[in-house]
Amino acid sequence: MVSGSMLVVILIVTIILMVIMISKFKIHPFMSLFTVALLMGITAGMPLLEVVNTIATGFGNTCRSIGIVIAFGTIIGIMLEQSGAAVTMADSILRVVGPKRPALAMSIIGWIVSIPVFCDSGFVILSSLNKSLSKRSGVNMTTMAIALSTGLYATHTLVPPTPGPIAAAANLHADLGLVILFGIIASAPAAFAGYLYAVTAGSKIKVDDPEGPTFEELKAKYNRLPSAKFAFAPLVVPLILIAFNSVVSFPTILNFIGKESVIYSFSSFIGHPISALFVGVLLCFLLPPKITEEVTSGWIGTGVKEGATIILITAAGGSLGAIIAATKVGDFIGASLAQYQMGIFLPFIISAALKTAQGSSTVALITTSTIVYPLLASLGLDSSMGAVLATLAIGCGSMVVSHANDSYFWVVSQFSNMKLNTAYKAQTVATLIEGVVGIAGVWILSLIVL
């Protein structure tokens, strides 16, 4: 089998080929990831049958560890959207922050909504609210758009149960509860940096006055909006359950209560991501005024369909990761890079390069995590907290940068009346700042907890 620097060349060519397939030839990420995994195994000199078996094993292991979690997370996002719960959450936060700070309100709303909901969908859902607040307050639409988009982006890339961070955490064997906890901590300054850019530079970037329904008209679209406590419950309760399990499993506490205790058994069950998110799905049935076939089949069916695509992409990333691990290229790269002591910054750089090249934050998170996992020891990140911080570093890199090859770039620009050059000044620069501030925060965290 090929070894040494030639393996690195094969890996680089594999990544470049994947980017070209996805961005230039518009081949679906699932097919692209599977194809390059197959080609890398063959060109690295692995026995042909071993290549196929390794791909299948990587695919199956990833599905087993993360497939149901992604499906439940996607279903929760769809049900929050369809029931109007996202609008209720927005209205609740507006009452707290106040109408005099609409950009801050939209940043916070986006930051919360994008934990279970994809940032693209979140921006579409909240676009009418964003436009009506812009008209009502007189604040420039660009300011409002940047504040919302960066708020959404921060948790989309850093806080599970959004599929990208979940997949990255699984690939790096990171504790999901700790990823949620530290993801929330790391995402806050990143989102705030986006907000500051929105109210400073954004106010100087002009766009046409927004058109569309007012917030009152948006609320009137739904027969009955769920109450705030029911709207937040499917999001907050699973996070609390997962965090509870992480606290109970903390070595000091676990040594005190013991693995045979009822508390540990209960927390391990109810705080498992599958159980916790299933509770979130059940709580979603409190959102609609009436449980109909549209809810039980239509909404859930939409969530399953969207989740299936993400699961296939994630599992294909697991296949590529299994091939990379089997070739031992990670060991060689780790030994070569150890002298440079790049630490937490290497996952960020790889993720940023992949994100900028091919556009998808989720693909960048999945692919980078499979590349980085064999390198954790050489980067000094082979501890429980090291894996968590590596996940967050990859998430920060997956923000840098959103431009024309990213669907989110077009969602933000088109729903905010931005021309192309305006969108580059607004969305692209904002995501660059957000990602850099994010990795700075993760680096500071690493100095404290490692």
Side-chain angles (χ1 to χ4, degrees):
M1 191 165 75
V2 177
S3 61
S5 58
M6 191 60 196
L7 271 179
V8 179
V9 174
I10 292 173
L11 176 61
I12 293 172
V13 172
T14 296
I15 294 171
I16 292 173
L17 178 59
M18 179 198 69
V19 170
I20 292 173
M21 291 174 71
I22 294 173
S23 59
K24 183 174 178 59
F25 295 104
K26 309 301 180 186
I27 299 174
H28 194 278
F30 167 72
M31 289 301 300
S32 301
L33 285 163
F34 176 83
T35 301
V36 298
L38 187 67
L39 292 177
M40 181 174 181
I42 294 172
T43 53
M46 293 175 60
L48 296 181
L49 183 57
E50 184 181 342
V51 172
V52 177
N53 287 336
T54 302
I55 289 174
T57 300
F59 188 94
N61 288 343
T62 304
C63 280
R64 181 181 62 190
S65 64
I66 211 70
I68 296 176
V69 173
I70 290 176
F72 283 161
T74 309
I75 290 170
I76 290 172
I78 292 296
M79 295 186 77
L80 289 176
E81 174 187 348
Q82 294 294 330
S83 65
V87 176
T88 296
M89 289 190 284
D91 196 24
S92 301
I93 295 167
L94 269 176
R95 292 173 185 171
V96 175
V97 177
K100 293 184 179 180
R101 293 181 288 271
L104 178 60
M106 292 312 301
S107 179
I108 295 172
I109 290 166
W111 185 81
I112 293 174
V113 168
S114 199
I115 292 176
V117 179
F118 262 81
C119 58
D120 307 62
S121 299
F123 197 93
V124 173
I125 296 166
L126 298 170
S127 180
S128 295
L129 169 61
N130 213 25
K131 291 176 181 178
S132 71
L133 283 180
S134 177
K135 289 191 290 185
R136 181 192 300 177
S137 63
V139 174
N140 182 13
M141 186 61 209
T142 308
T143 296
M144 299 295 292
I146 296 172
L148 175 58
S149 73
T150 52
L152 288 161
Y153 220 26
T155 47
H156 172 77
T157 56
L158 291 171
V159 183
T162 305
I166 282 183
N171 288 338
L172 294 171
H173 299 177
D175 181 277
L176 194 58
L178 292 177
V179 173
I180 292 172
L181 174 62
F182 284 92
I184 289 172
I185 294 172
S187 66
F192 188 66
Y195 164 72
L196 290 180
Y197 182 74
V199 296
T200 53
S203 62
K204 302 173 185 177
I205 305 172
K206 303 298 181 182
V207 297
D208 296 334
D209 291 334
E211 298 179 358
T214 64
F215 185 43
E216 288 70 23
E217 291 170 339
L218 178 64
K219 290 194 290 185
K221 168 185 172 184
Y222 299 92
N223 293 327
R224 181 180 70 82
L225 287 173
S227 65
K229 64 180 180 180
F230 287 145
F232 281 98
L235 170 61
V236 174
V237 171
L239 298 182
I240 291 174
L241 293 176
I242 294 171
F244 171 66
N245 182 43
S246 294
V247 171
V248 172
S249 301
F250 196 74
T252 304
I253 296 176
L254 186 58
N255 290 336
F256 176 74
I257 64 174
K259 287 189 175 182
E260 304 301 323
S261 66
V262 175
I263 294 177
Y264 177 73
S265 298
F266 176 74
S267 69
S268 298
F269 168 71
I270 199 66
H272 191 286
I274 292 177
S275 303
L277 286 175
F278 180 61
V279 171
V281 172
L282 294 179
L283 290 172
C284 284
F285 286 100
L286 300 174
L287 301 176
K290 184 179 180 181
I291 304 299
T292 64
E293 186 178 349
E294 180 187 5
V295 175
T296 58
S297 181
W299 294 3
I300 293 180
T302 300
V304 170
K305 289 176 184 176
E306 293 192 7
T309 300
I310 300 164
I311 292 168
L312 284 174
I313 295 172
T314 304
S319 294
L320 176 59
I323 290 291
I324 291 173
T327 62
K328 306 296 183 183
V329 63
D331 295 342
F332 178 79
I333 294 175
S336 302
L337 292 176
Q339 57 182 315
Y340 299 109
Q341 298 182 343
M342 298 181 73
I344 200 70
F345 294 101
L346 181 63
F348 170 80
I349 292 169
I350 296 174
S351 181
L354 281 172
K355 162 64 180 177
T356 304
Q358 53 80 37
S360 170
S361 294
T362 301
V363 171
L365 277 156
I366 294 169
T367 306
T368 305
S369 59
T370 61
I371 295 171
V372 166
Y373 179 66
L375 308 179
L376 290 180
S378 61
L379 295 173
L381 300 172
D382 55 338
S383 62
S384 176
M385 277 307 308
V388 170
L389 294 173
T391 303
L392 300 182
I394 293 169
C396 292
S398 71
M399 299 183 206
V400 181
V401 290
S402 174
H403 64 100
N405 63 359
D406 180 9
S407 62
Y408 188 47
F409 174 88
W410 295 106
V411 168
V412 173
S413 62
Q414 295 305 303
F415 276 83
S416 307
N417 300 327
M418 292 183 188
K419 296 179 180 178
L420 184 61
N421 61 334
T422 302
Y424 272 112
K425 294 176 186 176
Q427 173 72 357
T428 304
V429 175
T431 54
L432 173 62
I433 293 171
E434 190 173 26
V436 170
V437 170
I439 188 58
V442 173
W443 174 68
I444 293 173
L445 281 174
S446 72
L447 298 179
I448 298 172
V449 301
L450 285 183

